[in-house]
Amino acid sequence: MSEPRTELALVLHTHMPYVEGHGTWPFGEEWLWEAMASTYLPLLDVLDARVTLSLTPVLCDQLEAPGVGERFGVFLRDVRRETHRQDIAGHDDPAEVAALEHSAATYESALERFEALDGDLLGALAPHAAWTSAATHAILPLLATEAGVRLQVQTGIDAHRERFGEWRGGFWLPECAHATWLDPILEEMGVHAACVELTDVVPGATTPLRTAAGPLLVPIDRAIIDLVWSPRGYPSQGAYRDSFRHTHHDHMAWANDGAAYDPERAAAQARADAADFVTRAAQRPGLRVCALDTELLGHWWHEGVTWLAAVLAEADRVGLPIAHLDDAVARHVAIDAPATLPVTTWGTPRDLTTWDGEPVADLAWAARRAELDLIAAGRDVSADAVRELLALQASDWAFMVTRDLAGDYPLERANGHREALAAELRTLGSASGSVRNLAPHASPLPLLEP
């Protein structure tokens, strides 16, 4: 028997918590604007048919929300342009000034590109949108009921089809959180394949696994992911821009090694790291899935989009096939999944601790109680109540609390949606909600069907 063909699947999971209209700086809608400027717009020059792009419905809700494009333009013209001017005026070192001028130019380029698209960033991403996800990135194994799972999954699938048309059944499980009891529900909803994290659970697993219920579980390849996304991964190289050291106005003028940032030196490093990545990815046969949060590329790793472009070019040069994951799973013969699999996530350890551990247990239980309260309301439930529940169920709030990110913001957001949902239930839909353009495709029907 011949060895399986080596193929590399680059999967970009694109997600932003629901921040539209919920604060600006230091926490809130500015996160979306920064991701648009530093990741989503530059990525348009790199994406091709080989890259598997997952767009979460909650991100799409925000990209098409009324007024977001106008506020993004104001942010670039009035905030980033002026703060760069002030930072440049406050630095005497010519190398640091050059680094800040480079930074300012990247925002100007983003503004030009956005205006050239007539503000339709989502439309520009649409030809590449292949995989969808749960409506608001909820941890599906932590939901209280099967009806709640159906609500998250069906809303996400309906939103994808409404926006993009064709869907081949690829579904990103939020945080790669999988439990075997989900499989029949996913099959019922039309899910064909989902990525899972089986490192330390099924060591060395790269072959797609066929579940008893039907969906394929596609293991992500931690060994090659860690080349990029680990404390000693490529973004830690000295030449790259330091994402943690900021100027007075929150810009970045230095490299990881402390020198003033030099974009040409960093680009050379990106090309070298891309060559190393391709060499390592080609060393083992089979399907190798490198799944990354899209926002790493550009936003957290300034040179990440340059690295991705170099990976695609280097793979072509050496003959390493890069396959769209939908096509790859059709070519690779799946094997039966183990009869018993524990609940797994990409978290450390590979369980639900990040989202239901002691620091966030109250959040997890509050979301479950709210789900049960909404179901108990039956046909009196309003659309805004459903959308407040979806917002409350987002994985982002617990993640930020566990990782001690964003201060009190995640708790305030979760509590706000819980209180808004309670008000909706008390007033039978006459309360003033907080969800604006979130989940416009949501319907209470999955909660009401037996």
Side-chain angles (χ1 to χ4, degrees), residues 36 44 55-57 59-65 114 117 119-129 163-164:
M36 291 167 66
L44 292 173
L55 293 175
T56 62
L59 169 62
C60 298
D61 295 341
Q62 296 174 91
L63 290 179
E64 69 179 11
F114 189 69
L117 296 172
D120 188 11
L121 175 55
L122 186 59
L125 291 169
H128 308 285
R163 289 178 172 122
F164 308 122

Side-chain angles (χ1 to χ4, degrees), residues 85 123 127 196 264 296:
R85 185 194 67 77
V196 290
E264 292 186 4
L296 170 69

Side-chain angles (χ1 to χ4, degrees), residues 140-149 181 367-369 371-372 393:
L140 299 182
L142 284 178
L143 300 188
T145 66
E146 290 188 6
V149 173
W181 64 265
R368 290 168 67 86
R369 282 193 297 269
E371 179 184 337
L372 294 172
Q393 291 173 328

Side-chain angles (χ1 to χ4, degrees), residues 16 29 32 34 99-100 120 131 133 151 158 233-234 236 241 268 285 299 314 340 351 414:
M16 180 63 56
E29 203 166 21
L32 176 64
E34 285 287 357
L100 288 168
D120 188 11
W131 280 39
S133 186
L151 174 65
D158 289 348
Y234 299 135
S236 67
R241 195 167 78 172
H299 183 54
E314 179 68 9
T340 58
D351 60 16

Side-chain angles (χ1 to χ4, degrees), residues 9 23 56 60 90 106 130 146 166 168 218 249 253 271 282 295 299 322 329 345 354 360 363 406 413:
T56 62
C60 298
T106 63
E146 290 188 6
E166 181 184 8
R168 296 171 64 183
V218 185
H249 292 97
R271 291 190 293 271
E295 295 73 24
H299 183 54
I322 295 183
V329 295
T345 71
T354 299
V360 290
L363 284 181
R413 290 295 311 280

Side-chain angles (χ1 to χ4, degrees), residues 253-305:
W254 298 277
N256 288 328
D257 61 7
Y261 179 68
D262 180 345
E264 292 186 4
R265 180 172 76 123
Q269 185 67 59
R271 291 190 293 271
D273 288 337
D276 179 74
F277 178 82
V278 169
T279 297
R280 292 172 183 267
Q283 288 176 348
R284 195 171 74 202
L287 177 58
R288 312 202 67 183
V289 179
C290 180
L292 303 170
D293 282 358
T294 306
E295 295 73 24
L296 170 69
L297 307 179
H299 183 54
W300 292 109
W301 180 18
H302 180 63
E303 302 79 11
V305 175

Side-chain angles (χ1 to χ4, degrees), residues 44-337:
L44 292 173
D45 293 328
V46 177
L47 288 174
D48 65 23
R50 294 170 293 174
V51 178
T52 308
L53 186 67
S54 161
L55 293 175
T56 62
V58 63
L59 169 62
C60 298
D61 295 341
Q62 296 174 91
L63 290 179
E64 69 179 11
V68 164
E70 289 79 1
R71 294 196 296 278
F72 174 59
V74 169
F75 171 70
L76 295 184
R77 286 188 294 268
D78 295 355
V79 177
R80 283 293 174 242
R81 188 178 287 171
E82 174 60 18
T83 55
H84 274 99
R85 185 194 67 77
Q86 292 184 29
D87 267 345
I88 289 169
H91 282 253
D92 297 324
D93 186 326
E96 292 177 1
V97 168
L100 288 168
E101 289 173 341
H102 164 80
S103 177
T106 63
Y107 286 97
E108 294 296 334
S109 295
L111 179 60
E112 292 173 8
R113 184 64 182 273
F114 189 69
E115 291 175 341
L117 296 172
D118 292 327
D120 188 11
L121 175 55
L122 186 59
L125 291 169
H128 308 285
W131 280 39
T132 189
S133 186
T136 55
H137 215 254
I139 300 290
L140 299 182
L142 284 178
L143 300 188
T145 66
E146 290 188 6
V149 173
R150 289 190 181 91
L151 174 65
Q152 278 280 349
V153 174
Q154 192 65 61
T155 300
I157 292 171
D158 289 348
H160 183 92
R161 284 179 165 147
E162 180 71 21
R163 289 178 172 122
F164 308 122
E166 181 184 8
W167 179 60
R168 296 171 64 183
F171 189 88
W172 184 268
L173 293 169
E175 318 295 3
C176 289
H178 173 261
T180 54
W181 64 265
L182 295 171
D183 294 337
I185 303 172
L186 297 175
E187 174 69 14
E188 176 189 334
M189 300 291 102
V191 172
H192 175 61
C195 289
V196 290
E197 167 66 282
L198 297 180
T199 307
D200 308 326
V201 178
V202 184
T206 58
T207 302
L209 305 176
R210 184 189 306 104
T211 64
L216 295 176
L217 304 180
V218 185
I220 60 176
D221 192 324
R222 179 55 56 184
I224 59 170
I225 292 172
D226 279 351
L227 294 173
V228 182
W229 205 323
S230 68
R232 297 183 180 180
Y234 299 135
S236 67
Q237 299 275 23
Y240 292 136
R241 195 167 78 172
D242 188 339
S243 296
F244 299 98
R245 183 183 177 189
H246 292 175
T247 65
H248 179 70
H249 292 97
D250 208 35
H251 300 302
M252 290 162 273
W254 298 277
N256 288 328
D257 61 7
Y261 179 68
D262 180 345
E264 292 186 4
R265 180 172 76 123
Q269 185 67 59
R271 291 190 293 271
D273 288 337
D276 179 74
F277 178 82
V278 169
T279 297
R280 292 172 183 267
Q283 288 176 348
R284 195 171 74 202
L287 177 58
R288 312 202 67 183
V289 179
C290 180
L292 303 170
D293 282 358
T294 306
E295 295 73 24
L296 170 69
L297 307 179
H299 183 54
W300 292 109
W301 180 18
H302 180 63
E303 302 79 11
V305 175
T306 300
W307 171 85
L308 177 61
V311 166
L312 295 170
E314 179 68 9
D316 285 343
R317 189 184 72 81
V318 304
L320 172 65
I322 295 183
H324 194 286
L325 193 54
D326 285 338
D327 298 327
V329 295
R331 283 192 291 268
H332 288 261
V333 177
I335 62 175
D336 289 339

